[in-house]
Amino acid sequence: MLAVGGCAWIGERGSLNPGPRPLPNTYTFMQLEALSLINTHKTMGDHVAGWITGKDCSSPRAERGDAYCIDLPDRPTPPPQVYCYSTLARPTCYSQPYNEGNDRLIGFVPASTPIR
């Protein structure tokens, strides 16, 4: 009952009106468009076009004379694992653990895990 109760709109006199909720005024849409343009340098239509095409679309970029939609850049490769050991002069680093003699591990940088 509570989940369906959010679908009704209470009218001006407190009566329950089963009709749809009114849309926000046009100023709300213009404000959202301005916020999108300021924060992401893209209009809301650019976001929709980019979502459909899978590319980076931008109206301001097209107004400057560049392409409207460009391919998204590839993700950079993660840095490799690094094992650093103390030596007489300065630390020596390897991509694999080095367990020879009296070498002492002074630092380890693990490979980053992918976000997705």
Side-chain angles (χ1 to χ4, degrees):
M1 183 69 168
L2 290 175
V4 179
C7 296
W9 176 57
I10 298 178
E12 289 80 22
R13 291 188 237 158
S15 63
L16 190 62
N17 184 0
R21 294 177 185 228
L23 291 174
N25 59 11
T26 56
Y27 293 115
T28 304
F29 291 117
M30 290 186 337
Q31 290 168 351
L32 290 174
E33 185 77 23
L35 282 174
S36 175
L37 191 60
I38 290 169
N39 290 323
T40 63
H41 302 289
K42 297 179 185 180
T43 63
M44 289 190 294
D46 295 339
H47 287 288
V48 172
W51 177 67
I52 291 172
T53 62
K55 295 183 177 187
D56 181 21
C57 300
S58 174
S59 295
R61 182 176 49 234
E63 289 177 5
R64 289 191 305 264
D66 295 336
Y68 176 64
C69 290
I70 59 173
D71 292 328
L72 293 171
D74 293 335
R75 291 183 182 222
T77 57
Q81 296 187 111
V82 177
Y83 296 88
C84 294
Y85 295 92
S86 64
T87 59
L88 289 176
R90 58 182 193 199
T92 305
C93 299
Y94 303 99
S95 62
Q96 298 285 331
Y98 184 74
N99 297 324
E100 295 287 328
N102 294 327
D103 293 330
R104 189 176 64 157
L105 180 67
I106 59 171
F108 170 66
V109 179
S112 61
T113 57
I115 295 175
R116 288 188 186 182

